[in-house]
Protein backbone atom coordinates (compact mmCIF):
# COMPACT_ATOMS: atom_id res chain seq x y z
CA UNK A 1 0.00 0.00 0.00
CA UNK A 2 1.26 3.46 -0.89
CA UNK A 3 2.41 5.75 1.90
CA UNK A 4 -0.16 8.35 0.84
CA UNK A 5 -2.91 5.76 1.29
CA UNK A 6 -1.62 4.76 4.74
CA UNK A 7 -1.60 8.41 5.80
CA UNK A 8 -5.14 8.95 4.50
CA UNK A 9 -6.32 5.77 6.25
CA UNK A 10 -4.76 6.87 9.54
CA UNK A 11 -6.47 10.25 9.20
CA UNK A 12 -9.87 8.67 8.56
CA UNK A 13 -9.50 6.09 11.33
CA UNK A 14 -9.23 8.96 13.80
CA UNK A 15 -12.93 9.62 13.28
CA UNK A 16 -14.06 6.56 15.23
CA UNK A 17 -11.60 7.19 18.06
CA UNK A 18 -12.57 10.84 18.29
CA UNK A 19 -16.27 9.95 18.31
CA UNK A 20 -15.66 7.53 21.18
CA UNK A 21 -13.71 10.21 23.06
CA UNK A 22 -16.58 12.63 22.57
CA UNK A 23 -18.99 10.11 24.07
CA UNK A 24 -16.71 9.64 27.10
CA UNK A 25 -16.42 13.40 27.57
CA UNK A 26 -20.21 13.72 27.46
CA UNK A 27 -20.52 11.07 30.17
CA UNK A 28 -17.88 12.81 32.28
CA UNK A 29 -19.59 16.17 31.83
CA UNK A 30 -22.88 14.67 32.97
CA UNK A 31 -21.21 13.16 36.05
CA UNK A 32 -19.43 16.41 36.81
CA UNK A 33 -22.66 18.39 36.48
CA UNK A 34 -24.40 15.96 38.80
CA UNK A 35 -21.57 16.31 41.33
CA UNK A 36 -21.81 20.10 41.17
CA UNK A 37 -25.55 19.90 41.80
CA UNK A 38 -25.07 17.60 44.80
CA UNK A 39 -22.32 19.82 46.20
CA UNK A 40 -24.54 22.88 45.81
CA UNK A 41 -27.30 21.10 47.72
CA UNK A 42 -24.92 20.00 50.47
CA UNK A 43 -23.28 23.42 50.71
CA UNK A 44 -26.70 25.00 51.20
CA UNK A 45 -27.25 23.10 54.42
CA UNK A 46 -26.46 25.20 57.47
CA UNK A 47 -25.35 22.25 59.60
CA UNK A 48 -22.60 21.29 57.16
CA UNK A 49 -19.33 21.49 59.10
CA UNK A 50 -17.13 20.75 56.12
CA UNK A 51 -17.65 23.94 54.10
CA UNK A 52 -13.96 24.27 53.16
CA UNK A 53 -13.85 20.74 51.82
CA UNK A 54 -17.11 21.19 49.93
CA UNK A 55 -15.91 24.48 48.50
CA UNK A 56 -12.67 22.86 47.34
CA UNK A 57 -14.57 19.97 45.76
CA UNK A 58 -16.95 22.39 44.08
CA UNK A 59 -14.06 24.43 42.70
CA UNK A 60 -12.33 21.28 41.38
CA UNK A 61 -15.54 19.97 39.80
CA UNK A 62 -16.14 23.35 38.15
CA UNK A 63 -12.58 23.40 36.83
CA UNK A 64 -13.01 19.87 35.47
CA UNK A 65 -16.24 20.95 33.76
CA UNK A 66 -14.30 23.73 31.98
CA UNK A 67 -11.53 21.31 30.95
CA UNK A 68 -14.06 18.93 29.49
CA UNK A 69 -15.76 21.71 27.53
CA UNK A 70 -12.42 22.74 26.01
CA UNK A 71 -11.63 19.12 25.10
CA UNK A 72 -15.09 18.70 23.60
CA UNK A 73 -14.67 21.75 21.37
CA UNK A 74 -11.26 20.53 20.18
CA UNK A 75 -12.59 17.07 19.33
CA UNK A 76 -15.64 18.51 17.59
CA UNK A 77 -13.27 20.62 15.48
CA UNK A 78 -11.24 17.57 14.45
CA UNK A 79 -14.39 15.61 13.61
CA UNK A 80 -15.67 18.53 11.54
CA UNK A 81 -12.36 18.69 9.67
CA UNK A 82 -12.52 14.99 8.79
CA UNK A 83 -16.16 15.34 7.76
CA UNK A 84 -15.20 18.38 5.67
CA UNK A 85 -12.62 16.33 3.78
CA UNK A 86 -15.15 13.56 3.19
CA UNK A 87 -17.75 16.08 2.00
CA UNK A 88 -15.38 17.23 -0.74
CA UNK A 89 -15.20 13.75 -2.27
CA UNK A 90 -17.51 12.40 -4.96
CA UNK A 91 -20.45 10.60 -3.36
CA UNK A 92 -19.35 7.07 -4.34
CA UNK A 93 -15.85 7.61 -2.96
CA UNK A 94 -17.27 9.15 0.22
CA UNK A 95 -19.64 6.19 0.67
CA UNK A 96 -16.81 3.69 0.22
CA UNK A 97 -14.54 5.42 2.74
CA UNK A 98 -17.38 5.85 5.21
CA UNK A 99 -18.11 2.13 5.05
CA UNK A 100 -14.47 1.06 5.32
CA UNK A 101 -13.22 3.48 7.97
CA UNK A 102 -16.01 5.22 9.84
CA UNK A 103 -19.00 2.92 10.11
CA UNK A 104 -16.83 0.21 11.61
CA UNK A 105 -17.69 -2.54 9.14
CA UNK A 106 -14.26 -2.97 7.52
CA UNK A 107 -14.47 -6.76 7.18
CA UNK A 108 -17.80 -6.70 5.40
CA UNK A 109 -17.34 -3.37 3.65
CA UNK A 110 -16.42 -4.67 0.21
CA UNK A 111 -19.20 -7.24 0.00
CA UNK A 112 -21.77 -4.81 1.40
CA UNK A 113 -20.69 -2.16 -1.08
CA UNK A 114 -20.81 -4.64 -3.96
CA UNK A 115 -24.48 -5.22 -3.15
CA UNK A 116 -25.22 -1.58 -2.42
CA UNK A 117 -23.45 -0.02 -5.40
CA UNK A 118 -23.57 -2.88 -7.89
CA UNK A 119 -19.80 -2.94 -8.46
CA UNK A 120 -17.37 -5.83 -8.63
CA UNK A 121 -15.05 -6.33 -5.68
CA UNK A 122 -12.02 -5.20 -7.68
CA UNK A 123 -13.85 -1.98 -8.63
CA UNK A 124 -14.60 -1.29 -4.95
CA UNK A 125 -10.94 -1.60 -4.04
CA UNK A 126 -9.81 0.56 -6.98
CA UNK A 127 -12.34 3.23 -5.98
CA UNK A 128 -11.14 3.00 -2.37
CA UNK A 129 -7.53 3.51 -3.50
CA UNK A 130 -8.57 6.50 -5.62
CA UNK A 131 -10.58 7.95 -2.74
CA UNK A 132 -7.63 7.57 -0.33
CA UNK A 133 -5.44 9.36 -2.86
CA UNK A 134 -8.01 12.17 -3.02
CA UNK A 135 -8.07 12.43 0.78
CA UNK A 136 -4.28 12.60 0.87
CA UNK A 137 -4.26 15.41 -1.69
CA UNK A 138 -7.03 17.27 0.13
CA UNK A 139 -4.92 17.13 3.29
CA UNK A 140 -2.05 18.68 1.33
CA UNK A 141 0.93 19.89 3.35
CA UNK A 142 -0.96 19.32 6.58
CA UNK A 143 -0.80 15.52 6.12
CA UNK A 144 2.67 15.32 7.65
CA UNK A 145 1.56 17.39 10.64
CA UNK A 146 -1.79 15.67 11.16
CA UNK A 147 -0.48 12.11 11.07
CA UNK A 148 2.87 11.16 12.62
CA UNK A 149 5.13 9.14 10.34
CA UNK A 150 4.51 5.82 12.05
CA UNK A 151 2.61 4.53 9.06
CA UNK A 152 5.64 2.87 7.47
CA UNK A 153 5.03 -0.71 6.74
Amino acid sequence: MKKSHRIAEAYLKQYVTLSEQLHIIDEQMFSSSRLLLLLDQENGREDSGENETLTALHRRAGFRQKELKVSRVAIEGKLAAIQGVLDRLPSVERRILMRFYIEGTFRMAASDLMDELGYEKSQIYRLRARALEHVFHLLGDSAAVLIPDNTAG
Side-chain angles (χ1 to χ4, degrees):
M1 180 181 283
K2 293 171 64 174
K3 183 178 180 179
S4 59
H5 294 187
R6 288 191 307 268
I7 290 171
E9 276 188 337
Y11 180 71
L12 294 171
K13 286 179 180 178
Q14 291 180 91
Y15 194 92
V16 173
T17 303
L18 291 168
S19 295
E20 290 168 356
Q21 289 174 353
L22 197 60
H23 179 71
I24 291 167
I25 286 173
D26 287 343
E27 289 176 349
Q28 290 175 346
M29 287 180 75
F30 176 78
S31 296
S32 182
S33 295
R34 184 79 176 123
L35 176 61
L36 283 168
L37 180 64
L38 292 171
L39 288 170
D40 284 342
Q41 290 172 351
E42 186 63 30
N43 216 7
R45 299 166 92 195
E46 291 190 29
D47 62 342
S48 179
E50 300 176 355
N51 279 338
E52 286 182 31
T53 303
L54 292 174
T55 301
L57 285 171
H58 194 279
R59 194 172 20 249
R60 176 64 188 127
F63 180 71
R64 181 66 180 145
Q65 209 43 10
K66 289 176 186 173
E67 287 178 326
L68 291 168
K69 286 178 184 176
V70 168
S71 295
R72 190 174 207 301
V73 168
I75 289 172
E76 285 174 336
K78 290 176 184 178
L79 287 169
I82 295 169
Q83 189 61 53
V85 167
L86 288 168
D87 289 345
R88 293 177 65 190
L89 297 174
S91 62
V92 170
E93 290 182 12
R94 180 175 49 250
R95 183 71 196 118
I96 289 170
L97 293 182
M98 292 285 293
R99 181 70 73 148
F100 271 96
Y101 301 106
I102 294 177
E103 294 174 359
T105 57
F106 191 86
R107 286 194 173 138
M108 298 299 294
S111 60
D112 288 347
L113 287 164
M114 287 169 53
D115 294 338
E116 183 180 327
L117 301 174
Y119 292 142
E120 296 292 324
K121 192 173 192 175
S122 60
Q123 290 175 298
I124 298 292
Y125 284 105
R126 276 195 300 276
L127 285 167
R128 182 183 74 161
R130 187 171 72 192
L132 289 171
E133 198 64 34
H134 284 154
V135 168
F136 180 76
H137 288 292
L138 288 170
L139 294 174
D141 294 334
S142 63
V145 175
L146 294 169
I147 305 298
D149 194 13
N150 62 357
T151 57

